[in-house]
Amino acid sequence: MLARFSRFLIPTTAVMLVLSSCTRDAPVQPPRANVIAQDTGGPPPPNDFRDSARFVASLPYFDSTDVTNATIEPGEPSSACHDSIAPPTRTDWYLYVSHASGTVQLTAQLFGPAPGILSVYRSSADTLIPGGCNPNFGPVTFNADSGAAFFFQISDSAGATGPTVFSLQQDTIIPPPPPPPPPGNDNFADARVDTVVPYSDTADFTGASREPNEPVTCFFQSRTVWYAFTSPTTRAVSIGVQSGFFHGISVYTGNSLGNLQFRTCGNGSFGFTAVAGVTYFIQVGGDFDERAIFFINPPPPPQANFFTSPGDPSTFDLVQFFDASFDPGGIGIQTWQWSFGDGGSS
């Protein structure tokens, strides 16, 4: 029994000696992750790329940042502050969306022991529009409208890296400009008077409004101006607006805003018959801050025209005549007279 156990013990002891020898010759290596950290100096910051920019939720804002381990992504912009040194090789990003009422003035700046370049870009349809930059802790001041988004790029200056503090603060609220005064004929009671034809006037919709109880018939537009036209004789007229925008025109009779009677309407240019001594109130509507030309002109004359059937008749054919006359002024043709060239008429 002892002999059999001795035979088993000797080989096992030899294996243990071999393992012991291997352990002394090949010490255990440190984890590979520590080697990578030692080679690169650490992982890049979480806001290394623009798509992962750190969001600025409220102002004033301060955040410690360091581009030492940052990288640069393909196609990353380089601001004018890098023109005199070199393109950036390390950057991180911040994002701010202005929710202030109206326009505000903001100042972005870097503070700390390490130099760096701060560049501001306004975001528009995924395009970055340069908004200013400053190297080595200089402030960048810019205006922001409500809803505007801004990206801030912090980059190394000539290869220098180290800790710094990014700050963003609101300086002042820029009040909106005062609204323009309304035009003189903005209201019905101030309708611009005309008694002559032809007539033209600059219809100014900048600052125009729609007054309470103003009639709405064919068109509703947010701005209106008024004209009062009285013809000394009964005549046809053509009224209209020359503009690149749509304008609705409505014609009324009456003596106050509350008792107007609708007569006709149209856009572009159209005609109607003005009865002598009757005052027609003309409401011209628009939707934009712009100036247009309003006119009252004599109507263009009616255009006489006809065609025959058959188109190439012989002496054996019965020829029919068809009227194709029209009135470009929109007044309407009252009478027709046909002269057939052989002394006959109709």
Side-chain angles (χ1 to χ4, degrees):
M1 175 69 70
L2 182 59
R4 286 197 301 268
F5 180 78
S6 298
R7 287 195 301 270
F8 171 78
L9 181 61
I10 292 171
T12 302
T13 304
V15 171
M16 295 292 292
L17 290 174
V18 170
L19 289 176
S20 176
S21 176
C22 290
T23 301
R24 288 194 301 269
D25 294 340
V28 176
Q29 297 295 319
R32 184 58 182 167
N34 292 340
V35 175
I36 295 175
Q38 184 178 0
D39 293 341
T40 62
N47 56 335
D48 189 28
F49 289 169
R50 188 188 72 175
D51 288 345
S52 58
R54 185 165 295 167
F55 185 72
V56 177
S58 61
L59 300 181
Y61 179 82
F62 299 90
D63 187 55
S64 178
T65 184
D66 190 342
V67 299
T68 300
N69 300 319
T71 62
I72 189 167
E73 58 188 312
E76 189 160 328
S78 177
S79 68
C81 291
H82 278 278
D83 291 348
S84 60
I85 46 176
T89 60
R90 303 175 176 89
T91 64
D92 58 23
W93 291 84
Y94 290 85
L95 168 64
Y96 175 70
V97 179
S98 176
H99 294 293
S101 177
T103 303
V104 296
Q105 185 181 78
L106 302 176
T107 295
Q109 195 167 2
L110 299 179
F111 299 93
I117 290 180
L118 172 63
S119 304
V120 180
Y121 300 91
R122 178 167 183 158
S123 178
S124 175
D126 204 34
T127 299
L128 295 184
I129 302 173
C133 63
N134 244 329
N136 302 333
F137 314 125
V140 183
T141 300
F142 56 97
N143 294 339
D145 299 326
S146 179
F150 292 87
F151 282 96
F152 303 89
Q153 179 195 52
I154 300 173
S155 56
D156 53 339
S157 175
T161 58
T164 188
V165 173
F166 168 70
S167 74
L168 181 63
Q169 302 184 66
Q170 177 177 309
D171 299 330
T172 57
I173 298 177
I174 302 174
N185 58 336
D186 184 34
N187 293 334
F188 170 83
D190 302 316
R192 198 159 290 170
V193 177
D194 170 48
T195 59
V196 299
V197 177
Y199 170 84
S200 67
D201 183 65
T202 300
D204 189 358
F205 295 92
T206 306
S209 63
R210 174 179 286 274
E211 61 187 307
N213 301 319
E214 192 165 324
V216 178
T217 50
C218 302
F219 312 98
F220 178 85
Q221 293 181 275
S222 58
R223 308 156 190 251
T224 61
V225 293
W226 287 88
Y227 293 88
F229 171 62
T230 307
S231 176
T233 61
T234 298
R235 60 171 303 164
V237 293
S238 178
I239 63 175
V241 175
Q242 294 176 347
S243 170
F245 297 97
F246 178 87
H247 291 278
I249 307 171
S250 300
V251 181
Y252 304 89
T253 56
N255 54 21
S256 68
L257 194 62
N259 71 346
L260 293 179
Q261 292 83 48
F262 171 73
R263 297 305 178 193
T264 185
C265 66
N267 68 288
S269 175
F270 64 97
F272 71 97
T273 299
V275 177
V278 176
T279 298
Y280 295 88
F281 291 95
I282 304 172
Q283 177 195 52
V284 184
D287 288 308
F288 302 98
D289 285 338
E290 54 124 2
R291 291 177 171 88
I293 302 299
F294 169 74
F295 61 84
I296 305 176
N297 289 332
Q303 304 295 310
N305 197 10
F306 67 94
F307 66 94
T308 61
S309 177
D312 187 19
S314 70
T315 56
F316 302 101
D317 291 322
L318 176 65
V319 179
Q320 291 181 298
F321 292 81
F322 296 91
D323 179 34
S325 303
F326 68 99
D327 177 20
I331 308 300
I333 299 174
Q334 293 182 339
T335 60
W336 289 258
Q337 184 174 358
W338 295 72
S339 176
F340 298 103
D342 60 355
S345 63
S346 173

